[in-house]
Amino acid sequence: MNYSVAFSNGTNSFNEGFYLTAFRTLANKNYLILFLAIIYIVTLLGNLVLLIVVLMNSSLQNPKYLAVCNLAIVDISMNSVVIPQMVPVFAFNQNYVSFGACFSQMFFMHFFGDMESFSLALLAYDRLIAICWPLRYSTINTNLRMLLIIAGIWSLVVLLEIFPVIFAARLPYCGSREVNSCCCEHGPVSRLACTDISYNRHLATAKTLTVLLGPLTFIILTYVIVVVAVTRIASVSQCWKTFHTCLTHLLLVVLYYIPVILAYILGSLRLVQNIDVFTAILTVSVTIPPMLNPIIYSLKTDELRDKIVKLLGKPKVAQQIIKNEASG
């Protein structure tokens, strides 16, 4: 089947869309789709349970858990944008995406990917206030202030993401409409334009570096401040207790940034020659953190873990098993 579409007038036709053509050379691609479907189900269950527990317990309705709930909403949204549309596309070969739907998906996929990074920075901010100014935490970091910060972050990311997508949508697509990807990503789509895309590429690169390195730099800076502050006034046991408090957040940061950095290295150095294999690696690396984030937070946070156990009605034996897993 020929998916290429030609336009003699050299302009966009909004009645025409794109064809997602990833995984054509990937053996047993249905197993990958099944694996991603499992990731999606676990993502929904884990994050929804976390949100329900916070909503049902007034003791958890504080700035820290507002930031945690923000991350849970972003996790659900991220995998909801990426995974469900892949099932009909690659399991049933329904790979046509309308022009509007393609650029809508491009915006929301990159938007929630950016929000993952900023949400981790928000958690780092909360830990910084809690550790360095514990006596003033309740006055510095109120629920209202946290909600305003969250609203500000969402607004900022909208502004960062809207312009690259708008400029990509305005490009003339007068040749092939085959997108060599599993989603309408900015790079694979804009490369199909029959004009110079250097400005679009530079804008997208600048945006990507901003949303990745900006929050990461902030996270590193907060931990440098925490380490310096704690080592000056705390004993070894207190330092270890503080580190244990930050461990959950550090795990989330590593889980998010390491796969992204590795995927970037693999792509830049062309260490994976098969584009379908690289796309599969990138897709899994993007969708696994939203699945694991609520599990890690639930197992590593005593207060939250106890509330979840109570909600699910686990007996004491099961509760002890969960505690043993968390301590292990």
Side-chain angles (χ1 to χ4, degrees), residues 65-297:
Y65 285 103
L66 286 178
V68 172
C69 288
N70 173 71
L71 179 62
I73 293 171
V74 171
D75 286 339
I76 292 173
S77 302
M78 178 65 192
N79 279 5
S80 295
V81 171
V82 175
I83 297 178
Q85 61 85 31
M86 292 179 63
V87 176
V89 169
F90 299 108
F92 305 107
N93 296 319
Q94 299 176 7
N95 62 341
Y96 173 79
V97 182
S98 68
F99 192 95
C102 184
F103 285 96
S104 295
Q105 184 193 52
M106 181 188 296
F107 172 80
F108 286 110
M109 181 178 65
H110 290 294
F111 173 81
F112 289 115
D114 298 347
M115 279 300 303
E116 286 276 344
S117 187
F118 279 95
S119 297
L120 293 174
L122 182 63
L123 288 170
Y125 158 78
D126 178 80
R127 291 298 83 203
L128 174 68
I129 303 300
I131 293 172
C132 293
W133 296 279
L135 299 180
R136 299 176 57 195
Y137 177 84
S138 59
T139 56
I140 296 176
N141 207 20
T142 63
N143 282 352
L144 177 59
R145 188 165 296 173
M146 180 60 76
L147 287 173
L148 290 174
I149 293 173
I150 291 172
I153 290 174
W154 281 65
S155 301
L156 173 63
V157 177
V158 168
L159 293 176
L160 287 172
E161 195 56 56
I162 192 69
F163 293 106
V165 175
I166 289 177
F167 291 150
R170 295 175 62 184
L171 292 171
Y173 296 95
C174 50
S176 172
R177 291 293 179 105
E178 295 183 22
V179 180
N180 196 7
S181 177
C182 61
C183 306
C184 285
E185 297 179 83
H186 183 276
V189 173
S190 61
R191 280 195 291 269
L192 299 178
C194 50
T195 187
D196 180 24
I197 62 168
S198 57
Y199 175 78
N200 300 72
R201 187 170 62 250
H202 294 328
L203 179 63
T205 300
K207 187 273 301 181
T208 301
L209 292 176
T210 299
V211 300
L212 285 178
L213 299 183
L216 179 59
T217 302
F218 176 80
I219 291 170
I220 294 173
L221 181 62
T222 60
Y223 276 105
V224 169
I225 295 173
V226 166
V227 169
V228 172
V230 171
T231 52
R232 283 181 176 179
I233 62 174
S235 63
V236 175
S237 60
Q238 289 174 319
C239 288
W240 175 250
K241 184 178 179 180
T242 301
F243 172 76
H244 187 266
T245 302
C246 299
L247 180 60
T248 302
H249 180 255
L250 285 171
L251 287 174
L252 301 187
V253 172
V254 170
L255 183 66
Y256 174 75
Y257 278 101
I258 294 300
V260 170
I261 293 172
L262 289 178
Y264 179 79
I265 293 174
L266 290 175
S268 300
L269 300 180
R270 301 185 184 278
L271 298 179
V272 180
Q273 296 297 324
N274 190 317
I275 187 63
D276 286 339
V277 174
F278 176 73
T279 302
I281 293 173
L282 186 61
T283 304
V284 171
S285 67
V286 167
T287 54
I288 280 185
M291 177 189 72
L292 294 181
N293 286 345
I295 298 174
I296 292 174
Y297 230 103

